[in-house]
Amino acid sequence: MATRPQTPLLDALLEPRAVFRGMPGEPPDPEIWQRAARAAAGLHGLGQWGELAGFYGDLADDAWREGRYRRSLRLLLAARVAAVRAGDGAKVVAVTSLLAMRHRLRGGFVVAEAWDHAQLARPLDESMARAHAVARRELATLRGLTGGYQEGIAQCEQALEVCRAFADRPGMALIHVQVLLERSLGERLSGRLDLALATLAEARNLAEAHESEVNDLTRGMIAVREARLYVMVGDPRTGLAAYLRAESLFTGVSADNLVITRISRIDCLRALGRTADALALADELAEECERAGEHARLGQVLLERADIQYATGDFAGAAATARRAGQERQDDDSLEALRWRRHLARALLASGGDQREAAAHLGVILTTACRPDRQDLARTWQALHEALSISDESVLPSAVWFAAGRGALTGAELQRDLLSAPEARWGVHAEREEVYAAAIRLHCAVADHGAVAQVMELGRADVLNRVLLDGSSLTRPLTGLPLLPPPADDGRLDDLFALGSDVARVLAGGSADEIGVLPLPGGLPSPEDLDGLADVVVMVQLGHGTAGWWSSTAVRERGGRWRATVEPVPERLDAWIGRMAAGTPLPPRGVARAVWQALGELLMPAPEIWQGTPEVPRSVVICPDPRLWHVPYGALLRGETALVDVAEVTLTPSLRTLCLVRDRARQAGPAARGAGTAARGVGTAGSLLDDALPAHSRERAALDAWPGGHRPLGALAEVAGLPDPALLYVSGHGAAPRDSRDSGDSVLGPSGVTLDSLATLPLPELLLLVGCWSATAASRYGRDPLSLAVGGLLGGARTVVAGVGRIGEQAAARIAGETLRYVAEGMPARSALRAAARALRDRHPELGPYDWAGMCVMGAGD
């Protein structure tokens, strides 16, 4: 029998009486443990070290499952000593890994790290490859728990190198997946959602490729990490499904992870608007944690509860709950400690509590988050944003207040810019709405009106502008585009962390001197480009705060400067605005004239918008809030005057979009695809008509009168074969605003015309989409307004005429027919549509605003 030198210390560690000695505060061992102790004594007495190592290891697992954590750790240590005595190197390595992991799980970070380094001290070869990879992963986990995210990511990279070098070793695929999961966590915690998503996708693909090697625990961890990222990028519905999948995988496998997942699900339910369900789950989990004496987890649950109370306006309750959550919390820099500080700080500020206490908490967050080893982007911009609620200039001077607000905007925009998938970019923009709204109010308050317009432009048409700028043919659905290349690193992250550190110094009572202001992210078209768009350019943005809805407009007259305003929504309009923002369009009839007047005053307040005359109208470009695309802008009133009487209106998803459309046509040259033929009334008119509509004969007659000839098409693809095409006319029935999350649904006519089918074709310069909602996507803040009309712009149309709401079929046919007649006479499309709308309104006063003003112009308008 192999033996090893014995020492008094090793003897003590192996001695069953020491291993099974009772723990203070624990009940006496039941009979089964007493029998185990006698069995261990027998093996020890015979010197059967190999058998004893295995026996101690099995008992350690049993003790861990029973919650006898200190007993389990003592048994593992004895198992390792016995394995050393037996000369069983493989057993020594395996038990050492368990010792490191279980000490880490019980908060023994120093001991855990020592065991990890003990593994790494052994030479890296085939027999130690798995142990090295696991030790690196465990060190990464420890760094994540203590805030050293960058070092944790570096440890993961070293572990991945081992996994790749020894990929053929048994069980290495599982470890590879687990390391990728740990790396994605570090990337998420440091705010790099783009890298976290990509790394998590790699882990999921590897797990699927090695399905037989990946256990349910690891599959559950993949689902949990996916769920959290889904919630962070604004898709809580998919996140909830992932959480439930994780809970199913953890049941009977890992009680700890099951509880953690259920706690995380609280925030997901809140994000879905299921407040009652979220509170019920929080209360249930809080009761369970109190019963079990799990004070740390109770604190996590209470923080989730405080978040719900804050979101529902119960600021005093949120502050009280946050204080309760911190009763057992040590003054550390862990992620949970920073979460507690943020919850308490914002609850104090919102409830009128002690601003200095709140500032102290925010200062600690910024000091910690901006450390070089941490570089926590999310918590940096969040704390800067919360600082905007500090009103006492002795706590935060106004100059620093402004710098903090600009920094919060920069951080939120950086996090969005670091993402490349369209859905993730949109979701993050929507989740950060309060930051963008605060930036609008901030810059309006200091009369930086151009900055207000620049903030409004951020994220208005991410994917649309990318495709227009690229200029290549679209070959797949917009939401399924390849990843967009992220912007080059220009040092903005370093500048943000430097600013955060400076603001932290001020919050701690330091000098406010030398606080710089970060450059405003994004950009606007040049003054020369803006002058070329219209007589007046208008941007509209909604916002919501504790006092209700507000509206901001930024207006620029040709040759002038931007002028911005922020006004509260009048009480008589509050319900209408709230309904539109929630995605419920205005009804086609039944809206009182006073409402149209109030909307005109709110959304189009600048007098220069209304300075045209019926004989000499002004050209007005409107870039609406994404939630306000279904407003018939021509029907808005100022006094007794409708906008259509004094203005030719063009709508655009963003100012950049309109510039790109105009530049594209200019670069293509006058000979490209019949350029300019529509304005002269020559060239062929193609059509896809719905012959089931009552107005079909009227539409057919109007098209047959087109001077360049009319060719009915059997399918949309046939437009590519039109000789010298001047325009394409598509009619059909649209049931509702198009949901921009699904770019493939057929929404107009029996020929199956969709956004993507229009976007992938070479279209004539003029496109008429005569049907309800053809210019409108479902109202969703933060998303590109991907309507059918947008598909037309992507497909090469220079000007699109389409419907913003529910329009009577006969009225739409009359408007379109008259528009065609005026265009054939040489009138620009925006002028032709205005003339047709005014004529129909004057001839048929019984029609509603959507009937005569429900068609809009997008694109160049000529």
Side-chain angles (χ1 to χ4, degrees):
M1 180 182 303
T3 62
R4 290 288 185 270
Q6 300 185 15
T7 67
L9 175 60
L10 292 181
D11 285 341
L13 291 172
L14 280 173
E15 172 60 48
R17 283 177 299 181
V19 172
F20 289 94
R21 186 174 62 243
M23 297 290 182
E26 287 187 0
D29 283 344
E31 174 60 28
I32 188 171
W33 279 98
Q34 295 174 18
R35 288 200 302 269
R38 289 194 292 271
L43 293 172
H44 181 273
L46 295 172
Q48 295 179 344
W49 308 123
E51 291 83 349
L52 185 59
F55 187 61
Y56 277 152
D58 292 340
L59 290 175
D61 292 341
D62 293 339
W64 189 264
R65 282 190 292 269
E66 293 177 10
R68 296 171 178 264
Y69 300 120
R70 286 183 292 177
R71 167 68 56 79
S72 176
L73 292 173
R74 188 184 292 175
L75 282 162
L76 275 180
L77 184 58
R80 187 181 189 278
V81 174
V84 170
R85 287 280 178 86
D88 188 344
K91 184 69 173 178
V92 171
V93 169
V95 174
T96 304
S97 289
L98 275 177
L99 277 165
M101 181 181 68
R102 289 183 178 171
H103 273 97
R104 186 256 300 169
L105 290 172
R106 299 307 299 169
F109 295 168
V110 174
V111 179
E113 184 163 349
W115 286 122
D116 287 326
H117 283 295
Q119 297 283 66
L120 295 174
R122 297 168 69 98
L124 174 59
D125 55 24
E126 287 194 353
S127 66
M128 283 297 297
R130 290 175 55 189
H132 269 249
V134 170
R136 294 287 184 193
R137 185 201 68 201
E138 283 292 306
L139 287 172
T141 303
L142 288 170
R143 297 298 176 266
L145 291 170
T146 56
Y149 303 141
Q150 307 313 311
E151 186 181 344
I153 292 170
Q155 290 284 355
C156 285
E157 186 53 43
Q158 293 182 67
L160 290 173
E161 290 177 5
V162 175
C163 291
R164 296 181 189 113
F166 297 91
D168 58 343
R169 296 292 298 164
M172 191 60 83
L174 172 61
I175 297 170
H176 195 161
V177 171
Q178 293 170 341
V179 174
L180 288 170
L181 284 173
E182 190 59 42
R183 176 165 184 160
S184 75
L185 175 61
E187 289 160 345
R188 174 173 67 81
L189 292 176
S190 61
R192 291 301 303 263
L193 302 185
D194 58 330
L195 295 178
L197 286 164
T199 304
L200 190 57
E202 184 181 351
R204 184 174 57 252
N205 293 337
L206 185 62
E208 291 173 354
H210 297 270
E211 184 176 2
S212 61
E213 299 179 44
V214 179
N215 53 36
D216 284 347
L217 177 63
T218 305
R219 295 184 198 283
M221 294 305 301
I222 293 173
V224 165
R225 302 286 165 82
E226 286 179 327
R228 286 177 177 155
L229 281 170
Y230 282 134
V231 174
M232 290 186 73
V233 300
D235 189 5
R237 190 173 303 280
T238 306
L240 179 59
Y243 275 132
L244 294 175
R245 186 167 66 252
E247 289 180 28
S248 175
L249 289 164
F250 287 146
T251 299
V253 173
S254 174
D256 283 345
N257 281 302
L258 180 58
V259 174
I260 293 169
T261 304
R262 294 177 69 203
I263 293 173
S264 300
R265 182 155 55 90
I266 298 171
D267 182 58
C268 186
L269 291 169
R270 181 199 59 77
L272 283 167
R274 294 170 55 179
T275 304
D277 292 340
L279 281 172
L281 180 57
D283 291 342
E284 176 186 341
L285 288 169
E287 184 178 341
E288 291 178 8
C289 290
E290 283 187 302
R291 261 198 323 266
E294 291 283 355
H295 299 297
R297 285 189 182 153
L298 175 60
Q300 294 173 347
V301 174
L302 292 175
L303 286 182
E304 298 296 348
R305 199 182 202 290
D307 203 22
I308 300 168
Q309 291 172 297
Y310 184 89
T312 56
D314 181 9
F315 304 130
T321 303
R323 285 200 186 281
R324 184 183 168 204
Q327 286 178 351
E328 302 292 333
R329 184 167 304 286
Q330 295 181 352
D331 189 16
D332 58 29
D333 61 358
S334 67
L335 178 61
E336 287 303 311
L338 296 189
R339 288 188 66 223
W340 166 67
R341 289 183 181 279
R342 182 192 176 216
H343 278 74
L344 183 55
R346 66 176 186 166
L348 283 169
L349 292 169
S351 62
D354 188 335
Q355 294 198 34
R356 290 191 179 277
E357 181 187 356
H361 287 304
L362 294 176
V364 172
I365 294 171
L366 287 170
T367 299
T368 306
C370 296
R371 286 190 335 228
D373 63 324
R374 195 115 177 185
Q375 294 188 344
D376 189 334
L377 174 59
R379 261 146 288 280
T380 297
W381 68 254
Q382 287 170 356
L384 290 171
H385 176 68
E386 303 303 346
L388 297 184
S389 297
I390 299 174
S391 58
D392 187 341
E393 284 216 26
S394 68
V395 177
L396 189 70
S398 58
V400 183
W401 183 78
F402 183 82
R406 180 72 73 84
L409 173 69
T410 301
E413 187 67 2
L414 273 171
Q415 195 162 56
R416 190 178 69 87
D417 278 346
L418 290 171
L419 292 165
S420 49
E423 287 284 352
R425 287 177 67 85
W426 292 333
V428 165
H429 192 82
E431 287 291 304
R432 311 291 179 261
E433 179 179 2
E434 63 179 14
V435 177
Y436 293 91
I440 288 172
R441 298 178 69 97
L442 178 74
H443 289 89
C444 198
V446 297
D448 192 346
H449 303 305
V452 174
Q454 189 166 327
V455 174
M456 289 183 183
E457 180 79 357
L458 290 171
R460 279 286 173 99
D462 278 345
V463 178
L464 171 57
N465 288 350
R466 174 68 64 178
V467 176
L468 287 169
L469 187 63
D470 182 58
S472 59
S473 175
L474 190 66
T475 58
R476 66 181 69 193
L478 282 177
T479 51
L481 285 172
L483 296 183
L484 307 176
D489 182 13
D490 57 4
R492 289 182 298 166
L493 274 169
D494 292 337
D495 293 341
L496 176 65
F497 293 132
L499 172 68
S501 298
D502 289 342
V503 173
R505 174 174 47 79
V506 176
L507 290 171
S511 170
D513 297 338
E514 299 181 2
I515 294 288
V517 177
L518 299 181
L520 193 65
L524 287 169
S526 68
E528 294 75 18
D529 285 337
L530 291 172
D531 286 344
L533 296 182
D535 294 325
V536 185
V537 176
V538 186
M539 302 193 76
V540 184
Q541 184 72 43
L542 295 177
H544 193 272
T546 55
W549 287 100
W550 51 267
S551 174
S552 178
T553 60
V555 180
R556 183 187 184 276
E557 199 170 11
R558 180 178 281 128
R561 296 178 179 273
W562 286 100
R563 188 162 58 86
T565 59
V566 174
E567 297 292 339
V569 170
E571 186 176 349
R572 64 182 180 277
L573 279 184
D574 195 73
W576 291 104
I577 292 293
R579 136 185 209 155
M580 286 190 286
T584 304
L586 296 170
R589 296 181 181 276
V591 179
R593 185 178 182 85
V595 173
W596 296 117
Q597 289 174 326
L599 284 172
E601 294 170 4
L602 177 70
L603 303 179
M604 300 286 123
E608 51 264 45
I609 301 171
W610 302 84
Q611 286 175 353
T613 66
E615 295 76 23
V616 186
R618 306 203 86 183
S619 57
V620 177
V621 164
I622 300 174
C623 182
D625 184 295
R627 295 163 288 201
L628 296 176
W629 267 90
H630 44 70
V631 173
Y633 286 92
L636 297 183
L637 298 172
R638 187 180 183 89
E640 297 301 315
T641 301
L643 186 59
V644 74
D645 287 321
V646 295
E648 297 175 350
V649 176
T650 301
L651 301 185
T652 183
S654 79
L655 300 183
R656 181 67 170 151
T657 301
L658 188 49
C659 289
L660 288 170
V661 169
R662 291 188 169 218
D663 290 347
R664 179 185 61 188
R666 189 180 302 124
Q667 293 166 3
R673 295 186 9 243
T677 56
R680 298 194 301 273
V682 297
T684 307
S687 71
L688 281 168
L689 302 181
D690 186 347
D691 57 13
L693 294 177
H696 172 260
S697 59
R698 183 185 300 277
E699 292 178 308
R700 180 64 184 258
L703 285 161
D704 286 342
W706 179 256
H710 170 219
R711 177 178 293 188
L713 305 176
L716 182 61
E718 294 178 13
V719 70
L722 284 174
D724 191 22
L727 65 94
L728 175 64
Y729 186 114
V730 181
S731 69
H733 173 68
R738 193 186 157 279
D739 190 336
S740 59
R741 292 178 300 183
D742 179 4
S743 62
D745 51 350
S746 176
V747 294
L748 188 64
S751 53
V753 174
T754 66
L755 179 155
D756 289 317
S757 62
L758 288 167
T760 53
L761 284 171
L763 295 172
E765 291 214 340
L766 178 61
L767 172 66
L768 291 91
L769 299 171
V770 186
C772 303
W773 312 115
S774 53
T776 308
S779 297
R780 300 185 193 281
Y781 176 81
R783 304 183 71 87
D784 284 24
L786 297 183
S787 62
L788 285 174
V790 164
L793 293 177
L794 293 175
R798 181 174 168 82
T799 299
V800 181
V801 178
V804 298
R806 191 174 300 284
I807 311 166
E809 292 164 357
Q810 291 289 354
R814 288 177 185 273
I815 290 277
E818 287 292 286
T819 298
L820 283 180
R821 183 170 66 82
Y822 289 129
V823 169
E825 294 172 0
M827 191 179 288
R830 62 175 180 269
S831 305
L833 180 63
R834 170 181 175 267
R838 295 183 71 217
L840 182 64
R841 178 198 60 185
D842 295 344
R843 287 197 302 265
H844 298 278
E846 75 280 3
L847 294 177
Y850 275 102
D851 290 326
W852 56 266
M855 299 291 287
C856 75
V857 167
M858 289 176 61
D862 50 16

